Amino acid sequence: MPIKFKAEASGDLEIELYDVIGFWGTTAKDFSARLKAAKGKNVTLYINSPGGSITDGTAIYNLLKQHNGKVTAHVDGMAASMAGVIAMAASHIIMPENSLIMIHN
């Protein structure tokens, strides 16, 4: 599976979104099933993605906004296109100086 979910010792959830969004990458269906299993725990989302499907990305964004736990996004490399929109669902975004968010005009 392209998306990696890992429970931390604290019980929080770490998610690595290091792939294309939708189709042959991370789908909203897979993301939803895993996020629901977190049952309101805090989520740390690590992103390095060129973006992808608008419909899958919009659903992932909305799932994160509806999540009861705190969502923190780390842009580890690139959050381009739809991945940049998904990053905006977090209440806190962390970006090293050499990382990139690209949003279409």
Side-chain angles (χ1 to χ4, degrees), residues 18 45-49 72-80 83-84 87-88 92-102:
Y18 278 18
L45 177 64
Y46 298 94
I47 302 173
N48 185 34
S49 172
T72 301
H74 288 258
V75 179
D76 292 333
M78 173 176 64
M88 297 299 124
H92 189 70
I93 301 171
I94 299 169
M95 293 181 61
E97 288 184 25
N98 60 346
S99 63
L100 168 74
I101 285 185
M102 188 281 290

Side-chain angles (χ1 to χ4, degrees), residues 12-81:
D12 293 345
L13 182 67
E14 291 184 347
I15 303 171
E16 289 182 357
L17 182 55
Y18 278 18
D19 203 352
V20 174
I21 298 160
F23 309 116
W24 301 278
T26 301
T27 66
K29 182 178 179 180
D30 291 337
F31 196 94
S32 175
R34 299 294 183 104
L35 188 61
K36 284 179 184 176
K39 297 183 180 174
K41 295 177 182 171
N42 293 334
V43 172
T44 303
L45 177 64
Y46 298 94
I47 302 173
N48 185 34
S49 172
S53 166
I54 293 170
T55 55
D56 278 288
T58 299
I60 291 169
Y61 171 92
N62 289 330
L63 288 165
L64 288 168
K65 290 301 276 185
Q66 296 165 18
H67 184 68
N68 289 329
K70 178 182 174 188
V71 177
T72 301
H74 288 258
V75 179
D76 292 333
M78 173 176 64
S81 193

